[in-house]
Amino acid sequence: MNDFWKRFSRNRSAVLGLLILCLVIFVASIASLIYPGDPFLYSQYPLSKPGENGFLLGSDSIGRDVASGIAHGAKTSLLIGLIATFAAVLIGVIFGALAGYYGGLVDDVLMRVTEVFQTIPSFIFAILLVAIIKPSIESVVIAITVVSWPAVARLVRGEFLALKNREFVQACHTLGMGDYRIMLKEMLPNCLSPIIVIGSLMVATAILIESGLAFLGLGDPNVMSWGFQISDGRSMLRVAWWICTFPGIAILITVLAINLVGEGLNDALNPRLRERN
Amino acid sequence: MKITKFMNAVMMTAAITFGGGAVYAQQSGGSLVFLVQPEPPTMAGYVSTSGPIGLLGPKIYDGLFDYDNDGKMIPVLAESVDMSEDGKTVTFNLRKGVTWHDGEPFTSADVQFTIMDVLKKVHPRGPNSFKEVSSIDTPDAHTVVLNLDNPAPYMLRALSAYESPMVPKHLLEGEDIKSAKLANNPVGTGPFKFTEWKKGQYIRLDKNESYWKEGRPYIDRIVGRFIPDASTRASAMEKGEVLYAAYNAVSNVEAVRLNKEKDNISITTDGYSMINPMALIEFNTKEGPFTDAVVRRAISTAIDRQFMLDTIFFGYGNPATSALSSNFAATGLHAKMPHYPANGDVAAANKMLDDAGYKKDSDGVRMKAMFDLIPYGEDWKRGGQYIQQVLGEIGIQVELRYEDVPTWLKRIYHNYDFEMNLNYFYQLADPVLGVHRHYGTNMIRKGTHFVNSSRYSNAGLDALLGAGMKEPNAESRSAIYLEIQNILARDMPVVNLFELEFLTVYNTKLKGAYGSAMGAYSSFGDAYLEE
């Protein structure tokens, strides 16, 4: 662990990213404490400039607090990012592991299925899915999962293909270990590092997809999110710049931070890079 | 004769040269580019009343009459109208020498065909407007006699080019009217001829050189441009690429800004009095949480209409005070009703629900409901989120649902699978045309859009609606509609929110295009460009 942290901290920007990410998580977790009310609550002070009428980052056209929206939106964004990524990694690992381990017909079938999903541009596919199922937080998570898992599946399949003829796996076979035990206990731990890296980057993508969907009006209208704030304020950009600027900055630095952390994890976990420097 | 013409020409030249003289100030020529949002599916205004068709159709097709801002009838294809003493015979005297864009003469046979075979059969509102017309006689080529079963005074409010366009019999007869070729190649008698439709970009209309009105139109060419993105539309207006944008094609917030920042851009709310849009909430009165009228009245009491107007529509509009728009006050058909506060009264609404025995649970929730929102953009979503908060204050916890247009239409008007729905309706020039469809038992028509989706049915009200339709005497009619409004304020199958005021944004070099009561749905024959 110490060793891992040493390698991770060698990447200065990754540490910075981690700090920012911790800050975002902190804000999200205390959102209900600092802004106890509903972030959708209107007020009698519409379009207040930042600092006016007690609104730190201004208010929108029906007087909702932009700062409160960002704090509560952080929770939404992170939650969607994590859940969707977890689900995508789970599905991807199962598909990839089975395909890579068994090969042959299983591989063919599973990979053709994966390719079907991969040939459709992911964002457009996500729009389609959310439009078919009604826009809600669940449908957004489902859409992000559906468009994200194929990448994991291909990665895990590749890793499993490389591992399955290695000596330690063959040794397991001769010892009479079952297939699932070999896959789960022996092979999966050996390809965990690339999965962690792709997963961390996927959280960032998921947040972007969620914001994009909300921006296009396909978010859950009952849940405050950064994308919703931007789409709500976009038509007023020339009159009230603060409504969409601050949520935009929040998306930018959060996604940047997660990407930096992902890079750092890649550096720390990739054995081929271990000898660098 | 020749001398007068010559003198006229001299005077006209002088007027233009010296820039004076009110009569001859109009200049001919130029092209008018304006915003059409969204792109229309067809140009068959005789089949669909869809907004974008209305923007283009009346430039190509004429109606029998037009209306000025006081509701007075202006002769167009009909020069005059006579109504018999008992109101059951209506005679139109048609203008002579009018031709279709393809050169064929316009005659009484066209009017007969249009009303009997087109408007009464395929138009969404025509069956209602011309309901009482049983037959039409054409004693000569320029006289049309409508025989009515009952007097129908409201019919004379539905003769504009937008509501009842006159279409050519020789091009439609024997065809399936809904799918006839005329839909995409319109041939009318109007001031502009259809020239070109570049899908996804624009529709171009050119001046009708043989228009019946001497010297009109002034403008050589009209181009209706389609720009899907709202901010691009605003900047096209700002740069002067387009000169006219009606029906909030440029959003209120941008319109107000352009009006303030740009000397050559102005805004107006004129031109919508015949349209009369009303924002409202429809309730499912047959099943779900809103079968009890008390709850609906409480909701109407709680909502701060003025706040919604001020914040979401930038103050353009008036809080609703009854089931009928206050624009009907001029004809004596509007009265202020209880449970329609402009500023909302949450305490009173809570008391109404308490008294009716709806108890709040430990979380302050009396009941839960699903709230569908009209999928027409951010304004409506914002409105829904505001109402969600207010309803929370009176213990009604609602979840918002925002779907795409076809799914939403299907849910509300085909499957009745909703509890409450945010929407807006056009109340039009007379309650018979725009309001009856919302409340009549005969208007519970599964699958027909924008009719009685609440499935509210009240025999007493039906009788009153029927009587209001036939009553020719203004005073008796006003009494009937007072009773109708009383019933609707008590039962509230629909809660009216506010009378919307659409904004038209225009470049000040365009003149004469915004005076008619039909506004953007008028012919633009009198419009001209000033350089």
Side-chain angles (χ1 to χ4, degrees), chain A residues 42 61 64 222 232 238, chain B residues 257 382 385 388 393 400:
Chain A
Y42 60 93
S61 66
R64 293 176 293 211
N222 300 288
D232 190 56
R238 299 280 295 267
Chain B
R257 179 181 69 83
R382 227 172 273 148
Q385 284 162 343
Q388 182 184 37
E393 290 171 29
L400 303 176

Side-chain angles (χ1 to χ4, degrees), chain A residues 85-101 106-107 109-118 145-162 188 191 194-195 198-199 202:
Chain A
T85 302
F86 181 76
V89 166
L90 193 71
I91 299 173
V93 165
I94 293 172
F95 264 65
L98 292 176
Y101 186 81
V106 179
D107 185 27
V109 171
L110 291 178
M111 280 305 110
R112 291 306 85 77
V113 172
T114 314
E115 276 159 16
V116 169
F117 283 90
Q118 279 191 309
T145 307
V146 168
V147 301
S148 310
W149 70 267
V152 184
R154 301 220 65 117
L155 174 92
V156 174
R157 173 182 173 266
E159 293 287 326
F160 267 56
L161 274 179
L188 195 57
C191 55
I195 295 176
I198 198 175
M202 210 177 264

Side-chain angles (χ1 to χ4, degrees), chain A residues 38 40-44 46-47 61-62 64 131 134-135 217 221-222 228 231-232 234-236 238-239, chain B residues 229 231 238 253-254 257 307 311-312 314 370 378 381-382 385-386 388-390 393 399-403:
Chain A
D38 188 330
F40 283 107
L41 189 67
Y42 60 93
S43 76
Q44 298 297 331
L47 299 181
S61 66
I62 61 171
R64 293 176 293 211
K134 74 171 177 117
N222 300 288
F228 163 75
S231 88
D232 190 56
R234 190 175 75 118
S235 56
M236 276 171 253
R238 299 280 295 267
V239 181
Chain B
D229 181 66
S231 355
E238 184 164 11
V253 55
E254 287 285 326
R257 179 181 69 83
F307 177 80
T311 56
I312 299 168
F314 289 80
M370 186 61 95
E378 293 311 315
K381 206 185 250 182
R382 227 172 273 148
Q385 284 162 343
Y386 162 76
Q388 182 184 37
Q389 294 289 328
V390 173
E393 290 171 29
E399 195 181 324
L400 303 176
R401 182 162 52 198
Y402 188 87
E403 295 170 315

Side-chain angles (χ1 to χ4, degrees), chain B residues 36-271:
Chain B
V36 174
Q37 167 59 25
E39 182 168 3
T42 69
M43 288 215 272
Y46 48 92
V47 174
S48 170
T49 47
S50 157
I53 302 180
L55 294 175
L56 292 156
K59 278 99 192 139
I60 304 166
Y61 294 102
D62 281 326
L64 292 174
F65 286 91
D66 196 2
Y67 304 89
D68 70 11
N69 274 326
D70 303 320
K72 232 175 68 196
M73 295 168 80
I74 306 167
V76 181
L77 286 177
E79 285 183 313
S80 64
V81 57
D82 299 309
M83 198 187 277
S84 66
E85 198 69 21
D86 64 357
K88 289 187 182 180
T89 312
V90 177
T91 309
F92 296 114
N93 301 303
L94 301 185
R95 192 176 295 282
K96 295 186 177 74
V98 178
T99 56
W100 295 100
H101 293 159
D102 63 2
E104 295 286 320
F106 162 79
T107 68
S108 53
D110 291 309
V111 179
Q112 183 191 36
F113 176 79
T114 302
I115 294 176
M116 295 308 285
D117 295 293
V118 182
L119 298 177
K120 257 183 93 102
K121 286 189 180 149
V122 297
H123 192 271
R125 298 190 286 250
N128 222 349
S129 312
F130 299 101
K131 181 167 172 255
E132 303 293 350
V133 180
S134 55
S135 66
I136 295 181
D137 299 329
T138 50
D140 66 60
H142 298 101
T143 309
V144 181
V145 182
L146 277 61
N147 303 306
L148 278 60
D149 291 337
N150 291 294
Y154 53 86
M155 191 180 79
L156 297 182
R157 319 282 306 148
L159 300 173
S160 69
Y162 164 64
E163 198 63 29
S164 302
M166 289 300 129
V167 296
K169 182 182 182 185
H170 64 280
L171 293 176
L172 275 177
E173 200 177 24
E175 302 235 9
D176 175 11
I177 288 165
K178 281 193 175 180
S179 59
K181 269 197 298 205
L182 190 69
N184 291 324
N185 284 296
V187 174
T189 57
F192 296 94
K193 289 193 285 194
F194 170 74
T195 314
E196 189 190 9
W197 186 344
K198 200 138 196 185
K199 295 273 177 189
Q201 294 184 39
Y202 61 83
I203 284 176
R204 189 183 121 195
L205 313 176
D206 285 335
K207 183 179 191 165
N208 175 7
E209 298 287 355
S210 49
Y211 192 52
W212 53 265
K213 197 167 183 181
E214 196 62 39
R216 309 288 161 86
Y218 296 117
I219 292 170
D220 283 343
R221 176 176 298 166
I222 286 186
V223 178
R225 263 188 76 186
F226 320 126
I227 303 176
D229 181 66
S231 355
T232 318
R233 286 199 294 276
S235 59
M237 192 76 217
E238 184 164 11
K239 280 188 286 184
E241 281 175 23
V242 298
L243 301 180
Y244 184 86
Y247 287 88
N248 291 14
V250 172
S251 67
N252 281 359
V253 55
E254 287 285 326
V256 172
R257 179 181 69 83
L258 289 174
N259 183 37
K260 204 160 60 183
E261 288 178 4
K262 292 289 213 174
D263 291 337
N264 62 343
I265 294 178
S266 278
I267 52 180
T268 178
T269 54
D270 285 348

Side-chain angles (χ1 to χ4, degrees), chain B residues 279-291:
Chain B
L280 47 87
I281 302 173
E282 293 166 285
F283 291 95
N284 189 336
T285 62
K286 289 284 171 219
E287 52 205 351
F290 301 119
T291 48

Side-chain angles (χ1 to χ4, degrees), chain A residues 32 172 195 227:
Chain A
S32 305
C172 292
I195 295 176

